[in-house]
Amino acid sequence: MDKNINMSARGGSTYGGKKIIIANWKMNPSSLKETKKIFDTIRKAASRLKNVETVICPPFVYLNSLNPRTTLGLSKGSPWIGAQDLFWQESGSYTGEISAKMLKNLGVQYVIIGHSERREYLKETNEMINKKIKTALKNNLKVIFCIGEKKRDSKGKYLSFIEEEILKGLKGIQKKLLNNLIIAYEPIWAIGKKTKQSDTPKDVFQMSMYIRKIAGKIPILYGGSVSPENAENFLCDTGIHGLLVGHKSLIPKDFNKILKIADKSR
Ligand code: PGA
């Protein structure tokens, strides 16, 4: 265990008590036209909300076209833009990769790192994720660091799995940089359209306490089948700071409902 971590994260949230709601669009939508349509509907709703930090994470190819800083006047509640990944090297011969500086120079604010789908399909390890987090933080990007277990076992082995993900992911990171880090707890068994259930608010509450014991006062999000139906329970009863939303974030009607719920939940 890296003892520095717990001590290092005392700074707490820099979000002024706002709920943080992140849209992870994954590899969707397939056209820029559709992307802009969804974004615009969400942007209008988000701009009216005072108590929510909305972040939209589209595929790389759409980042520039959606960035409100370059395409629109930035009103108070306008969504921020986030990437879904980056590479740990600053530049060079790494075909297909995107650097932290490229994102920063586009005006991108956030980046998701360590999503379970990348851990599974692309075999991303805790060590690779640690390098990505370090590069992102060094370049002043806000990191949404994803963790989560594949399954729950009755002996509680999943807890050590989570601990290992946190400690290896954050190994050697300077204390002052942790102010720009958010942990997204996403149990893998609860992710996606096909899954039968989300986690329960009670378990998410316990997990948030557990994560806090290891990581200190880093803001924690829950992700995994979040919907307008369950958003309120997660936001009010679990001690977490916000939500990471997958498939429902591509349906503006549903995502905007989640934003409104977050705006009211204090
Ligand atoms: P989901 O995805 O909301 O579709 O379960 C969440 C995520 O993978 O970030």
Side-chain angles (χ1 to χ4, degrees), residues 196-209:
K196 293 207 175 55
Q197 64 190 105
S198 61
D199 203 347
T200 63
K202 189 170 156 242
D203 283 354
V204 171
F205 172 69
Q206 280 170 358
M207 188 53 93
S208 72
M209 305 278 284

Side-chain angles (χ1 to χ4, degrees), residues 40-235:
D40 218 43
T41 319
I42 294 174
R43 183 185 61 78
K44 281 185 193 137
S47 316
R48 288 194 283 270
L49 307 177
K50 290 200 181 76
N51 304 316
V52 184
E53 172 102 347
T54 307
V55 184
I56 311 285
C57 301
F60 284 129
V61 289
Y62 303 133
L63 284 170
N64 201 30
S65 321
L66 295 193
N67 198 338
R69 292 176 153 226
T70 52
T71 56
L72 301 155
L74 193 66
S75 86
K76 237 184 172 181
S78 282
W80 297 99
I81 299 297
Q84 297 174 17
D85 182 46
L86 51 62
F87 193 53
W88 60 80
Q89 294 286 359
E90 298 279 347
S91 65
S93 306
Y94 304 102
T95 304
E97 299 295 349
I98 305 285
S99 76
K101 261 208 182 66
M102 289 176 189
L103 297 174
K104 195 65 198 170
N105 286 339
L106 273 188
V108 170
Q109 286 281 317
Y110 285 82
V111 59
I112 297 174
I113 296 182
H115 193 280
S116 59
E117 284 151 13
R118 298 191 62 86
R119 290 180 191 257
E120 188 183 338
Y121 301 134
L122 296 157
K123 305 283 170 250
E124 279 195 9
T125 62
N126 289 326
E127 288 70 25
M128 289 156 85
I129 288 161
N130 177 250
K131 288 199 257 181
K132 290 185 177 195
I133 294 177
K134 282 181 179 157
T135 310
L137 292 175
K138 199 172 132 207
N139 284 282
N140 275 322
L141 288 161
K142 291 188 178 170
V143 171
I144 304 146
F145 167 36
C146 298
I147 55 168
E149 78 281 2
K150 273 204 186 85
K151 56 177 187 206
R152 292 252 165 105
D153 58 299
S154 55
K155 292 197 178 116
K157 280 199 192 135
Y158 68 96
L159 292 172
S160 348
F161 181 84
I162 294 289
E163 181 177 356
E164 190 177 333
E165 281 192 334
I166 297 173
L167 296 179
K168 290 196 170 161
L170 300 184
K171 194 167 174 214
I173 293 180
Q174 281 180 0
K175 296 171 184 183
K176 58 174 191 218
L177 295 180
L178 287 171
N179 272 340
N180 269 344
L181 191 104
I182 297 169
I183 290 186
Y185 170 61
E186 298 202 298
I188 298 171
W189 49 267
I191 291 179
K193 261 190 221 164
K194 291 194 192 116
T195 190
K196 293 207 175 55
Q197 64 190 105
S198 61
D199 203 347
T200 63
K202 189 170 156 242
D203 283 354
V204 171
F205 172 69
Q206 280 170 358
M207 188 53 93
S208 72
M209 305 278 284
Y210 181 71
I211 294 171
R212 221 157 262 142
K213 262 203 334 218
I214 304 164
K217 281 188 185 164
I218 291 173
I220 300 170
L221 313 182
Y222 167 74
S225 298
V226 171
S227 68
E229 289 72 39
N230 61 24
E232 188 173 358
N233 289 344
F234 284 122
L235 288 170

